[in-house]
């Protein structure tokens, strides 16, 4: 998705921050439900999921701080991200470690692409505060994506699952940017 100046009353930088904040809430809920199921079925990768969730909580707080500096409110897709994230996390955890990692890889692949496009847009608008906020989380998200791929998310069997998750993630981001 290429970011451009908004024609609505809310500028694009604020939309980006709000959508990213909502996305972090979705990611937290993905990991919450994955941890819940994994504690019952496969405890061995709960520590990894907990570390990912802590990263996402830190990211969400960082976006919220910048939104508040701009007198903003939560994104209209906030609760959709939360519910969708919990559902995706639950289903992926039932599919085992490869399902969890496929979900992580799919979501974070979409997110990393958007973050890089957002950085280009924000740099072109000279919005250093928003740029620094987005930049501050990119490395963590790339690490989550790469870990998902390496730790079993690339299994051929999970290709359709990754595609569905990627499609949903992209759709929610586009909805939030409207």
């Amino acid at each position: 998705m290429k970011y451009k100046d908004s024609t609505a009353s809310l500028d694009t930088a604020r939309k980006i921050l709000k959508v990213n904040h909502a996305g972090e809430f979705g990611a937290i809920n993905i990991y919450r439900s994955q941890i819940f199921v994994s504690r019952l079925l496969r405890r061995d990768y709960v520590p990894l999921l907990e570390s990912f969730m802590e990263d996402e909580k830190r990211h969400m707080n960082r976006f919220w701080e910048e939104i508040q500096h701009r007198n903003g409110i939560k994104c209209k897709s906030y609760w959709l991200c939360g519910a969708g994230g919990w559902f995706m996390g639950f289903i992926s955890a039932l599919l085992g470690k490869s399902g969890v990692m496929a979900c992580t890889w799919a979501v974070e692949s979409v997110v990393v692409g958007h973050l890089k496009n957002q950085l280009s847009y924000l740099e072109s608008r000279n919005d250093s505060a928003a740029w620094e906020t987005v930049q501050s989380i990119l490395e963590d998200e790339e690490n989550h994506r790469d870990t998902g791929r390496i730790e079993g998310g690339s299994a051929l069997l999970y290709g359709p699952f990754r595609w569905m998750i990627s499609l949903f993630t992209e759709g929610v981001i586009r909805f939030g940017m409207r």
Side-chain angles (χ1 to χ4, degrees):
M1 174 177 186
K2 184 175 168 114
Y3 292 86
K4 57 185 178 183
D5 290 336
S6 175
T7 58
S9 60
L10 189 63
D11 65 85
T12 301
R14 286 183 190 205
K15 287 182 182 182
I16 286 171
L17 294 167
K18 288 171 58 170
V19 167
N20 290 357
H21 176 256
E24 297 299 341
F25 181 62
I28 289 166
N29 281 299
I30 289 172
Y31 293 123
R32 277 185 182 144
S33 61
Q34 288 174 339
I35 290 166
F36 172 76
V37 172
S38 296
R39 280 192 176 131
L40 298 172
L41 303 176
R42 294 171 249 339
R43 294 179 181 264
D44 55 324
Y45 51 95
V46 168
L48 175 65
L49 297 175
E50 289 175 334
S51 74
F52 283 1
M53 186 170 70
E54 289 307 311
D55 290 342
E56 305 298 356
K57 286 179 179 178
R58 191 176 63 256
H59 302 165
M60 187 174 83
N61 289 335
R62 180 78 196 264
F63 285 120
W64 184 240
E65 287 171 7
E66 187 58 31
I67 290 166
Q68 289 180 312
H69 286 293
R70 296 166 189 247
N71 298 315
I73 59 172
K74 290 180 182 171
C75 184
K76 57 191 165 200
S77 65
Y78 185 82
W79 295 110
L80 175 64
C81 287
W86 201 93
F87 179 74
M88 284 193 308
F90 187 80
I91 297 300
S92 66
L94 292 177
L95 297 173
K97 182 179 180 184
S98 291
V100 167
M101 293 297 124
C103 180
T104 299
W105 185 26
V107 169
E108 299 296 13
S109 292
V110 172
V111 168
V112 166
H114 276 276
L115 293 176
K116 288 180 178 180
N117 289 338
Q118 290 169 1
L119 288 170
S120 294
Y121 173 80
L122 293 168
E123 184 175 40
S124 76
R125 306 311 311 149
N126 294 317
D127 190 332
S128 60
W131 187 92
E132 288 172 15
T133 301
V134 172
Q135 177 63 36
S136 72
I137 72 158
L138 180 59
E139 185 178 342
D140 286 342
E141 303 297 20
E142 289 173 328
N143 177 53
H144 296 176
R145 176 202 62 199
D146 296 345
T147 301
R149 180 182 48 80
I150 292 166
E151 292 293 322
S154 61
L156 185 61
L157 178 64
Y158 294 94
F161 184 61
R162 285 191 308 271
W163 178 80
M164 288 186 328
I165 289 173
S166 296
L167 190 66
F168 179 78
T169 304
E170 184 70 37
V172 169
I173 291 169
R174 287 180 183 273
F175 174 75
M177 288 300 297
R178 294 180 57 220

